[in-house]
Amino acid sequence: MTRLILQDQAAGLRNLTSYQKRDPARVFTIAGGKSRVGKTSLVVNLAAALAQNGQRVLLIDENPCHNNICTSLGLQARFDLLHVIHKDKRLDQVLLQGPENITILSAMRGIHALNKLNPLEQDWLVKSFSELTESVDIMLIDTAMTGTTHVLPLSLASEQVMIVISGSAASITGAYALIKIMSQEYSKQHFLILVNKVESETEALMIYQNLYRVARQYLSVSLEYAGYVESDEQLRSATQLCKPVIEMFPASQAAICFRHVAENILRSTCPDKYSGGMDHFMQRLIMTSHLSMANFTV
């Protein structure tokens, strides 16, 4: 019964907003200075919370197929962004339908090929993305943090960057290193910080404040607290079932955390807000695609 009520509420929100003029989609790159901070699970569950809030969400996935968004949802992508680049498929043909109001684009191979495109291929890809402008409200980009990651071009092409940290020293050190590179070498000044895998809000705030103090002392950046997600057995159970926790266990502590994070990022400040639609995002990504952090380590 609870699930039906939530679905009705989400449908009502979408119907209400469909009569209003929509702003261009907001683009968030989700990154971490270290792997295994729970980033992909966080992206999937945050997308579900945003969709429940009436947002139409596009997930762009840079991760390899054995550890990506599709695997987390029990889905298999037959086609990806590279098929669009080669004109084997249209963009709408490679988008995979996820949970309600969520679509997924497997993009690892395509993103890695962007810096090799000729002008005609670039124009084709930009035109393809322009077709999404009216159908997407939020885009979340799940970056790979191992191998030849393109976290830099994806972050610089996005309006907002969310850094995911946990309580481990390696996670915090890696996040600081990533923020330092983006701010000092590429003038990215504003970052959202989300604390994952903690036991309480008190612990999350303590971790965030430690990072905030160090960054304020040594870097010219602005950090904004996006919230936290508690360690939750029901989140682990939902992950094993390849379902968002907000769908399987809507009253769980993790589901409550994800709703709060969704509300926070929708209200978050956006100093780097860009004009234009999805095509403008792709233009920015193509322009920054030569920047790579091959084998980024701390």
Side-chain angles (χ1 to χ4, degrees):
M1 177 64 73
T2 302
R3 193 176 302 170
L4 289 174
I5 293 172
L6 292 173
Q7 289 174 346
D8 288 344
Q9 290 174 343
L13 284 167
R14 286 193 297 277
N15 291 336
L16 177 63
T17 55
S18 66
Y19 295 106
Q20 302 172 355
K21 184 177 179 181
R22 291 182 177 271
D23 293 329
R26 296 183 67 178
V27 182
F28 296 83
T29 287
I30 317 299
K34 181 181 180 295
S35 59
R36 305 189 68 81
V37 292
K39 182 170 52 60
T40 296
S41 173
L42 188 146
V43 169
V44 168
N45 284 282
L46 178 57
L50 288 164
Q52 194 178 93
N53 205 302
Q55 304 296 309
R56 299 168 298 175
V57 185
L58 172 63
L59 301 181
I60 292 187
D61 193 355
E62 194 206 358
N63 293 288
C65 60
H66 63 277
N67 188 28
N68 64 7
I69 289 170
C70 289
T71 303
S72 299
L73 290 169
L75 303 172
Q76 184 174 4
R78 295 179 58 199
F79 309 109
D80 64 8
L81 182 60
L82 194 62
H83 288 96
V84 180
I85 291 172
H86 290 163
K87 296 188 177 181
D88 297 325
K89 295 290 179 181
R90 299 188 311 272
L91 183 56
D92 64 289
Q93 292 176 314
V94 306
L95 293 175
L96 194 62
Q97 187 60 48
E100 184 181 7
N101 229 29
I102 297 172
T103 52
I104 304 156
L105 174 62
S106 294
M108 183 188 74
R109 297 193 307 160
I111 288 171
H112 292 192
L114 290 180
N115 63 349
K116 304 177 184 70
L117 302 187
N118 62 46
L120 288 177
E121 290 171 327
Q122 293 178 14
D123 289 344
W124 163 251
L125 194 55
V126 169
K127 180 179 182 297
S128 296
F129 267 75
S130 70
E131 298 170 0
L132 297 176
T133 296
E134 298 300 323
S135 60
V136 175
D137 300 310
I138 298 279
M139 181 160 66
L140 303 180
I141 304 170
D142 188 13
T143 58
M145 292 312 302
T146 56
T148 309
T149 174
H150 281 62
V151 64
L152 274 179
L154 289 166
S155 297
L156 298 176
S158 301
E159 292 179 328
Q160 292 175 274
V161 178
M162 179 187 289
I163 306 292
V164 181
I165 61 175
S166 65
S168 74
S171 163
I172 297 169
T173 303
Y176 178 85
L178 190 58
I179 291 169
K180 181 178 180 180
I181 290 171
M182 289 192 204
S183 63
Q184 293 188 347
E185 298 189 26
Y186 302 102
S187 299
K188 195 78 173 177
Q189 301 299 319
H190 182 73
F191 300 87
L192 298 171
I193 305 296
L194 188 145
V195 188
N196 197 24
K197 297 184 175 182
V198 291
E199 298 302 322
S200 67
E201 184 174 17
T202 300
E203 181 186 358
L205 286 170
M206 182 182 68
I207 293 168
Y208 166 74
Q209 287 164 358
N210 286 339
L211 178 61
Y212 176 88
R213 280 194 293 268
V214 175
R216 185 173 182 178
Q217 183 175 356
Y218 296 105
L219 305 175
S220 299
V221 296
S222 168
L223 303 188
E224 183 175 349
Y225 182 64
Y228 74 103
V229 178
E230 284 191 21
S231 298
D232 187 335
E233 189 60 42
Q234 289 182 309
L235 174 58
R236 285 187 282 271
S237 297
T239 301
Q240 291 172 352
L241 295 169
C242 299
K243 297 286 186 181
V245 69
I246 206 165
E247 177 183 330
M248 293 298 297
F249 306 106
S252 66
Q253 188 58 43
I256 293 170
C257 288
F258 280 116
R259 289 193 194 95
H260 288 162
V261 173
E263 292 169 359
N264 288 344
I265 70 168
L266 289 173
R267 293 196 303 259
S268 63
T269 57
C270 188
D272 299 324
K273 189 169 182 61
Y274 298 125
S275 60
M278 301 293 285
D279 50 335
H280 287 229
F281 161 76
M282 182 48 66
Q283 286 175 334
R284 294 192 299 271
L285 183 55
I286 291 170
M287 290 175 61
T288 59
S289 61
H290 65 285
L291 303 172
S292 124
M293 292 177 64
N295 300 310
F296 169 68
T297 55
V298 178

